[in-house]
Amino acid sequence: MSSHDAVDVVPGPGEWTPASSLIPGPLREYLEGFDRLNPLQSRAVPLVLSTDGHVMIVSPTSSGKSLIGEIAALRSIVDEGRPAVWLLPARALAAEVAEIARRWSALGITTIELTGETNMSSEAVSRAQLWVATTEKFEALYRRASLREAIGRIGCLVVDEVHLVGDPGRGATLESLIARLRAADGGTRIVALSATVTNAGELAEWLGADLLTSAWRPTALTTRLVPYDPPAKGRREDHEVAKDDVVVPLLRRIMGGGPGAASPAAGDEPSASSAVVFCGSKAAVLRTAALVAGVPFRGIDPSVVVEACFRRGVGVHFRDAPGARRALDDFRSRRLRVLVATSGLSTGVNTPAKFVVIRDLELGMTPLEVSQAQQMFGRAGRAGYEDEGFGFLLVPRGDEAAWAAKLSDGYTARSRLATGVGDAVLAEMLIGSVIDRASVRAWFEQTLAFAQNRSGVDLDAVVDALIARGFASEVDGRLAPTEIGVLTSRLMIDVASAGDLRRALAELPLPATAGEAEELIVQTVATTARALRERPVAERVYAEHVGRLLAGWPPAVLARAEGWFGARLCMAAAQIALRDPARARESPPPGVSLAEFRRAAEDMPRYLAWVAALGYADAATWAPAVAGDLARRLTWWQLSPHPERGSGRLLWLLERMLEPQHHRERMPDLWRRARAAGFASPDGIGARPRGVDVSAEGFAEIVSSRAEIRIESLVDLQLAYRTAAPHARVTAWSATSAGHALSTARPARGPIDVAVVPRSEGRVAAEVFLYTRDGDVAYGSVTADLPEVSAAPSPLEEATTLLAGLPDRRSVLSHPRGVRRLFEGERAAVRERILPLIEPDPSLTPVATALSERHVDPAAAVRAMTANVRALLRDASRRDLRAPRAVLRSREASEAELQLTLAALLSSRGMGGGVATSEGLPLALARVDGRWVLAGPRHTPRGRIEPLAPATLPSGVGVLSAPVRAPVVAEPSFAWMAQFLP
C-alpha cells in the first residue's frame, strides 16, 4: 500500500433541521423521504428559496445536492408558475433525475426528458413545466427558432455538475450556454451545483452567484494510492497483467475473502461491505470482473462471461452490457457485493459502496482527470451502512508522487471555450444574441474564458474565419449566419468538420454505380466529421472484424479512409445497417461489441442530414440525394421489412406525419403498413393513413411539399420544366464533348439556362435535380443538340464584368528588400501574413467560377482557371503584394501576386487553395482528387518545394499533369439515381 494516504473529507459539523421548518408546505408534497435536512441542505435551502439572483452550491459528492436542485426547480414551477430546466452532463445522470420527474408527473407537473435518445416537437416542449435535459440536447433546443419564447419563460436553470465547464469534451458547450443566459434579460435564475473545486470563488464570480461551500459529507472518505510495477517494455497485455496482479488481491483483502454474495441472503447481511471497481474500457471491465469472480473470459461471448460473474456475486455495468440494469439494482439492494463498471457510472448515479477502486488512468483513449477521479471516489461511503469510505487508485510506481500532488492540489475548472469559440459565435449569430463585432465582444466578456484570460482569443480573426469559410456574412457591419451556417449550427456540427466535409464533397469523383455513390458518401462523412473519425475504439480488437465487413468495398474508397480507424469502423457499421442487417444478430468475435457498431450507425445520420440539406442551400447534384436516403435508412435500419435503397423518401413522408416524440413508438407499424400496401415512395400516397398525428389539412400540406419535376424541353440551352414545388432549388448538370458544367436557380420558377463548358459542340445531356426546403428531391434528364452559335460571353468577358462590381480591398505586404525576402522569413510569421490574402472570399466565388469555365471536374477547372488568370493579368514588376481583389481589378500582377491571386480564387471556388514556396517565391496549390498539386507555375520549380499553407505537405508534390482522360460523352452521368428515387 502507498505511503501517500490522505483523509479527504470527514463528516462536517452542523445541525440537522426538520424539513417542515424550512420547506413550504406546497413544495413538500412533491418531495419524498425527506423529513430532515442535513447540514448542507439546512444552509442551502433558505438561500435558493429567498434569493432572486444566481446561486452556486459547492460540496463533496454524495452530500445531498440533488434535493437542493429539486427545491430550486419547484420554487420556479409551483410558486412562480414558470418552467424549470434541470441540466445534466450525461444520460446516466439524466435517467436518475428522470425518476424525480416521473414522481412529479404523477402529481400533476408536466415533465419531459430530453437526451440524445429522445426527441420532442417544439409544441410538446413548450407545454412542459420541467425539462430534464443533457447539456447538448438543451443547447440544440435553444437553437430552434420555434422555442425562443418558451426558453425566455424559463424561471430556473439547475446546472448539475457545473464544474464540468472545464471538461474537455462538453465544457465549451456548457460555458457558452451559461454565458448566453447570463447576458439575456429573461430573468432566468441559475442554481449551479458543483463538486469540490479549488477555484469555486472564481466560478461563482463569473456566474455572478452567491456562493455557498460546505465540506460536510455523511461519511468520512480516505483515498490511497496503490502502486504497481509496469513492464519497462512489452505488449499491452503485459501492462494489463501488471494491474491484474494488484487489483485482484487488493479486492480480496479489503472485501475479506472472495467477492461474496453467491446468494441474496449473504448479500443482505448488514456487515457485508461492497465495492465498485472503475475501469477505463469495456474490455477491462469484463476482464477484471471475470478475474475477481474466478471465471474464464478469453474467447468467450461477453454475455456468457457476464452471467457467470453474476452467479459468483460480481456485477458488470457499462452501456449496452447484458443485464446492466439488473446488476445495478442488485448492487443497490446489496444482493451483489462487487460491481465492475466504466466511468459512466460515476456521474451522479446513486451507487454508493464502502470501497471504490480505480483501475485505469485512461478512460478509453483519454487520460483520467483529477475531477473524474474525485467523482469516482465520491461513490465511496454508504450513509446508514458505513461510517467511512475508502478510495484506491492504481498508479505506476514511477507516477506515484505526481498523482499524490495532483490529488492534493485538487481540481481547478479551466475554460475549454478557446478551441471551439468559432462554433459558439456561430450559435450566437443563429440565436440573434450577437449581430455585429461589438456584440461578439460583449458576449465573449460573459464567458469564463474571458474571466480567466482576457486577451486569449482574437475575436476578429474568429469572425473573419467564419466569413471566409462561408458560415457567416457581414454587410454594412451586420453579422448573420449564411444558409450553410444556419444548417451547421442547428445540427450541432462543428465548423471545422463542416468545412472539411464541404471541401471533401467537392473533390469526390463521379460514381459509376449507386453502390459506389453510397460508399463514397459514407466514407466522406466518416473521415471528415471529427467525432466519427476519432471514435475511441480499440483498433487491435476490432480491426480484423472491420476488415471482414468492408471486404467488398472498392480499394480506392477504403484508401480514402486510411489512417482513421474510427472512420473505418463507422463505414463497417453502415455496411451492417444498410446492406447486411443479419450480421447484427450474429455472435461477434471475442472482445468485439456489436453495440459499438450500433452506436456508430446512430451517430452518422446527423452529418448525412447536413449533406442532404446542401441540395437546397447550395448548388449540388447527386450527393445530397444519396445522403438523404442514407440518413433515413440508417435512422430506421432496424425496421421490418428492412429499408432498402431508395426507401428514404417514403421514410421522409412517414416521419412528417408523426410528432417526433411518437416516432419510435408508431413508426414501425406505419412503415409496415406502407410497405404491405406496395408503396416504395411517397408519390402514390394520396390519403391520410390512420394512426398518424397530422391533421387532414397538415397531410395535404405535406403532400403538396413533395418534390416533383417534369422536363418539357431543352432548346438553345434553355431548359423548360414543370414542378409543383416552386420554392425549391433546381440545379442542372450538363455533359458535353468538352466537359461537365453546373448551373442553379432558386426559386424554381421558369426555365433555367443550362451552362456548358466553352468549346462544346454536338450534343448536350442535361440532368436536373430539384431539392425542396423540406428535404425531398426529384430528378430528371434530357438530351438535345447544342446551338451552333453560343450567345454566352467568354470566360474573360464574364470575369471582367464581375470585376467591375467587385468591392475593393486595400491590403499591401512588402519588404524593404523585395518580395523574395518576404518569403524567406520565419515560416510561421510568413504564414500568418499570407493567410489573409488567400482565404476564401465569397465575393470572388463568381469570378472564380467564370475563370474556371464552370468546369465541375477539379483538374479541368484548375487548368482553365490558370490559363484564364494568366490571360487576364498583364505582367508587372512590383516589390510588394496586393490583395487579390486589388490585383484582379488592376488587370496586372507580378508573378508572386499572380500565384497568390490564383490561390485565393481556388480557395473561393472550394478547391483548397494553398501556397508553397520555392527559391523564395510563392507557388499556388490546389487539391485535385484528394492530393495537393502545383496549380500553375510559370516554369517547373528547380528548387525544393517548401509548404507554407498548409503547414505540411506530402513528399512529391508536382505540377498538375496534362489531361489523359477520354472526351466526355454527352449522355446522362447519373442514370443510377433511379435506384434512389423509385
Side-chain angles (χ1 to χ4, degrees), residues 59 72 100 187 195 235 268 419 423 514 571 574 612 664 761 814-815 840 857 868 911 938 942 947:
S59 66
I100 297 171
R235 301 171 302 135
D268 285 338
T419 56
D423 302 304
M571 293 158 63
R664 293 294 172 188
E761 57 185 24
S814 61
H815 191 281
D857 175 68
N868 284 318
M911 301 180 69
R938 174 168 284 173
R942 294 192 300 268

Side-chain angles (χ1 to χ4, degrees), residues 132-412:
V132 179
T134 58
T135 304
E136 291 77 12
K137 194 67 174 185
F138 183 62
E139 175 66 11
L141 293 176
Y142 218 130
R143 299 182 190 187
R144 284 191 199 175
S146 55
L147 283 174
R148 301 279 167 80
E149 182 182 350
I151 288 173
R153 294 198 309 268
I154 293 170
C156 179
L157 176 73
V158 179
V159 185
D160 222 327
E161 315 285 2
V162 74
H163 59 278
L164 292 179
V165 72
D167 180 80
R170 59 175 65 97
T173 301
L174 178 59
E175 179 181 347
S176 59
L177 195 157
I178 292 174
R180 184 186 311 135
L181 279 171
R182 288 187 62 229
D185 56 4
T188 300
R189 188 170 55 255
I190 299 174
V191 176
L193 309 177
S194 174
T196 303
V197 287
T198 60
N199 61 333
E202 181 182 48
L203 292 180
E205 184 178 357
W206 165 57
L207 287 167
D210 293 333
L211 175 64
L212 189 156
T213 62
S214 172
W216 185 87
R217 194 177 188 273
T219 58
L221 172 62
T222 301
T223 60
R224 295 175 179 174
L225 299 181
V226 182
Y228 67 94
D229 297 304
K233 295 181 180 179
R235 301 171 302 135
R236 179 184 180 90
E237 174 67 13
D238 297 329
H239 290 265
E240 297 299 310
V241 169
K243 287 185 277 189
D244 296 339
D245 290 344
V246 172
V247 73
V248 175
L250 171 65
L251 271 172
R252 288 175 177 163
R253 184 166 64 252
I254 63 180
M255 298 292 290
S263 68
D268 285 338
E269 294 174 9
S271 61
S273 298
S274 56
V276 175
V277 184
F278 287 109
C279 300
S281 68
K282 297 173 185 177
V285 168
L286 290 170
R287 175 193 191 102
T288 303
L291 291 171
V292 172
V295 302
F297 66 94
R298 299 183 191 278
I300 299 175
D301 185 274
S303 62
V304 175
V305 176
V306 169
E307 187 60 34
C309 290
F310 185 83
R311 289 197 298 268
R312 298 294 300 275
V314 179
V316 170
H317 191 283
F318 52 79
R319 187 180 176 187
D320 301 315
R325 170 52 62 180
R326 178 187 65 169
L328 187 58
D329 291 342
D330 281 11
F331 183 78
R332 286 170 169 168
S333 63
R334 310 188 78 191
R335 287 192 290 272
L336 290 178
R337 293 182 61 201
V338 177
L339 185 64
V340 188
T342 53
S343 61
L345 200 65
S346 69
T347 310
V349 181
N350 183 25
T351 52
K354 181 169 184 175
F355 303 106
V356 164
V357 179
I358 304 175
R359 179 187 186 270
D360 300 314
L361 296 181
E362 296 84 26
L363 305 181
M365 301 170 67
T366 306
L368 177 73
E369 299 267 351
V370 171
S371 61
Q372 294 166 324
Q374 291 175 335
Q375 196 79 35
M376 295 176 192
F377 285 149
R379 304 300 103 197
R382 297 170 62 98
Y385 296 102
E386 313 284 356
D387 293 331
E388 58 184 343
F390 296 90
F392 302 90
L393 175 64
L394 270 67
V395 296
R397 196 173 299 277
D399 296 338
E400 187 177 1
W403 265 100
K406 285 183 181 181
L407 294 175
S408 176
D409 293 343
Y411 170 66
T412 301

